[in-house]
Amino acid sequence: MRTVLIIDDNPAVGEALSLLLSLHDVRPLVALTPEDGLATLARQSVDVVIQDMNFTADTTSGEEGVELFRAIRQRHADLPLILLTAWTHLETAVELVKAGAADYLAKPWDDAKLLATVENLLELSESTREVNRTRMERRKRREDLQRRYNLDGLVFASEAMARTIDLACQVARSEVPVLITGPNGSGKERIAAIVHANSSVKNGPFVAVNCGALPGELIEAELFGAEAGAYTGANKAREGRFELADGGTLFLDEIGNLPLPGQVKLLRVLETGQFERLGSGRTRKVKVRVLSATNADLKSMIRAGTFREDLYYRLNVIDVNLPPLAERIDDILPLAEHFLAGRAQLNEAAREALLTYAWPGNVRELKNAIERAALLTGSGPITPELLNLPQHAGAVAVRNLDEPSREVVEAALQKADGVVSRAAQTLGLSRQALYRRMERYGLMTQA
């Protein structure tokens, strides 16, 4: 049951608050001294603390309340805490709020205000526990993946990335072809390298070729090799990527750019392991694990006649999808810190800018933005201006047509008498989502 600890030397205050809270399904605990309060916290699970500022007769300085606040904070850093204070001690209470207290209420208190504050803090406490539990589960899963597999130093924190890595590593030891899908710059080659590092051919070569970076007439020569004189400028015989990858892994990036003649030959290699160099009639045989990647809609290309359907199903035995960075928000700051490598610090405004930007260029764009900022920052922290992110694109990431404005959020809170759960229901948001918007709009202290 939700529990509130009241620490006040006046028994009448404890009784009044206990009655008020118990009528609203909150279990009250009462301690008459700071020592009793700390002892109760040590043995009981408490969601919110309401504490007085003075505990000795004829003492009005508030120093005892400050000392108790610091003792609670030292032992329970995240525990929400409400201060009960006389108007004469308002400045002290305000200073403690700045130091981390949730709120302060003047004696005599307003029941409605106190209940709304307690209700919101109970919800926030519940949300915090849920967030901490989720973070713990994610960290354990990340540590488990790092323990079980060779992730080659990959930096990630999001659940979406963990699912992608888990699937990639599960299929790594099989010999079936894997198609890695996702937008440009999202890290498809890193996933391919991880599949190779955890495969049965990890001791063999890992050969990558970008099919989109080569002229169409040279792709076949790159993949299958060519004899001397096979094409203009071919002065000597050369091995293709399949031969170079024999006994290992061949990664074909931008597979949708492979021309139809090359697709036919690729299909044959996948089915038989056999091919001929350009200009040669001798059949060669290799054993290669083939991974491919694309940001194109291959099914649309099949309908348009530019990609072979039989090759698609041969490549796409397992589809490992890599989400765009905008869908992996938890990865943004860890990646930024990784790219910074301790060369500079991000100030809070820069961190917020990174989190609210849409990242159309994905991880590659993030890396470039961080490298640029690190070069320009000098000895100071990195600011949003140094990141040079397009303002319009950033705004799109934060707001859309369904995003409630500050005025709408304020009106919903007022209508709900300051109770966040009711306001969130009115707005069609979760409590956590509304808390994030309240924090963004500077409404946390007004709830």
Side-chain angles (χ1 to χ4, degrees):
M1 187 175 182
R2 303 180 304 170
T3 303
V4 172
L5 172 62
I6 304 154
I7 310 176
D8 197 299
D9 63 316
N10 186 343
V13 170
E15 290 176 8
L17 288 175
S18 294
L19 178 60
L20 179 65
L21 294 171
S22 60
L23 289 173
H24 292 81
D25 299 321
V26 177
R27 181 172 72 115
L29 300 174
V30 178
L32 298 177
T33 67
E35 294 75 19
D36 287 345
L38 293 173
T40 301
L41 286 172
R43 65 175 182 267
Q44 296 259 10
S45 176
V46 172
D47 299 300
V48 174
V49 170
I50 301 175
Q51 72 150 83
D52 193 12
M53 293 297 294
N54 295 290
F55 295 91
T56 303
D58 301 323
T59 300
T60 60
S61 66
E63 292 179 1
E64 293 172 312
V66 173
E67 184 177 347
L68 175 59
F69 168 80
R70 290 173 177 166
I72 293 175
R73 270 288 161 268
Q74 185 177 8
R75 295 167 174 80
H76 309 276
D78 298 323
L79 184 61
L81 195 148
I82 301 171
L83 307 172
L84 284 180
T85 178
W87 287 107
T88 52
H89 309 128
L90 197 56
E91 292 181 1
T92 302
V94 170
E95 289 302 315
L96 291 184
V97 169
K98 291 180 181 178
D103 205 347
Y104 63 86
L105 296 172
K107 292 181 179 180
W109 60 85
D110 177 87
D111 282 356
K113 169 67 174 174
L114 185 142
L115 283 172
T117 301
V118 169
E119 188 69 31
N120 286 335
L121 290 176
L122 287 170
E123 292 175 2
L124 183 59
S125 180
E126 181 183 344
S127 298
T128 301
R129 284 197 302 271
E130 180 64 22
V131 167
N132 289 337
R133 184 187 65 80
T134 301
R135 286 176 178 170
M136 181 70 70
E137 289 178 354
R138 288 182 180 179
R139 185 170 72 246
K140 286 182 179 178
R141 181 173 185 182
R142 187 164 64 249
E143 291 171 353
D144 181 58
L145 287 171
Q146 291 167 339
R147 183 177 62 255
R148 291 162 53 199
Y149 303 113
N150 176 8
L151 302 186
D152 192 29
L154 185 70
V155 175
F156 69 99
S158 68
E159 182 63 18
M161 196 63 175
R163 287 194 298 268
T164 296
I165 294 168
D166 196 8
L167 175 60
C169 291
Q170 284 185 48
V171 303
R173 288 198 168 274
S174 69
E175 296 184 357
V176 299
V178 174
L179 178 64
I180 304 169
T181 57
N184 282 335
S186 57
K188 296 189 290 295
E189 186 167 345
R190 287 300 307 275
I191 297 299
I194 287 173
V195 171
H196 170 73
N198 294 278
S199 71
S200 59
V201 295
K202 61 185 178 183
N203 295 323
F206 176 78
V207 178
V209 56
N210 187 339
C211 299
L214 296 170
E217 63 274 11
L218 295 180
I219 288 181
E220 288 187 55
E222 283 290 327
L223 292 181
F224 309 113
E227 297 294 341
Y231 58 90
T232 303
N235 298 321
K236 60 180 181 179
R238 55 175 297 186
E239 291 181 312
R241 301 301 178 96
F242 269 97
E243 289 178 81
L244 294 173
D246 192 15
T249 300
L250 177 64
F251 173 54
L252 302 175
D253 200 4
E254 303 299 346
I255 190 67
N257 287 34
L258 189 65
L260 286 171
Q263 293 178 32
V264 174
K265 288 191 174 183
L266 176 58
L267 181 62
R268 182 188 175 206
V269 179
L270 292 174
E271 291 176 341
T272 67
Q274 298 179 348
F275 65 95
E276 291 83 31
R277 288 180 179 176
L278 286 180
S280 171
R282 184 166 76 88
T283 299
R284 301 171 187 269
K285 189 173 181 65
V286 292
K287 185 174 179 57
V288 173
R289 170 75 178 280
V290 175
L291 309 176
S292 54
T294 184
N295 69 330
D297 184 349
L298 295 184
K299 289 186 177 180
S300 296
M301 295 179 65
I302 291 171
R303 290 192 294 269
T306 57
F307 200 85
R308 292 182 61 95
E309 186 173 19
D310 48 2
L311 177 59
Y312 171 77
Y313 288 112
R314 193 71 177 82
L315 292 171
N316 192 27
V317 177
I318 297 292
D319 183 354
V320 176
N321 179 256
L322 187 55
L325 187 57
E327 296 178 12
R328 298 187 272 136
I329 294 177
D330 289 342
D331 291 339
I332 293 174
L333 293 181
L335 283 169
E337 297 290 354
H338 172 71
F339 295 142
L340 275 175
R343 291 174 291 170
Q345 297 292 324
L346 294 159
N347 70 13
E348 285 303 315
R351 295 166 75 88
E352 180 68 16
L354 291 174
L355 291 173
T356 57
Y357 181 57
W359 298 112
N362 293 289
V363 178
R364 185 180 298 133
E365 184 183 10
L366 173 61
K367 182 177 182 179
N368 291 341
I370 292 297
E371 290 294 337
R372 178 186 185 280
L375 288 172
L376 297 178
T377 190
S379 59
I382 292 177
T383 64
E385 293 74 23
L386 291 173
L387 293 170
N388 196 35
L389 301 177
Q391 294 300 309
H392 178 70
V396 170
V398 178
R399 294 288 305 274
N400 56 49
L401 293 177
D402 298 322
E403 178 79 3
S405 66
R406 187 184 197 279
E407 293 73 19
V408 171
V409 170
E410 280 186 306
L413 287 168
Q414 185 176 4
K415 185 177 180 181
D417 295 323
V419 178
V420 173
S421 60
R422 296 180 202 160
Q425 188 174 12
T426 301
L427 295 169
L429 300 170
S430 66
R431 292 198 311 265
Q432 295 90 333
L434 181 52
Y435 274 121
R436 287 195 296 271
R437 285 154 180 81
M438 289 168 63
E439 186 175 8
R440 184 186 304 155
Y441 297 146
L443 300 175
M444 292 297 288
T445 60
Q446 300 178 29

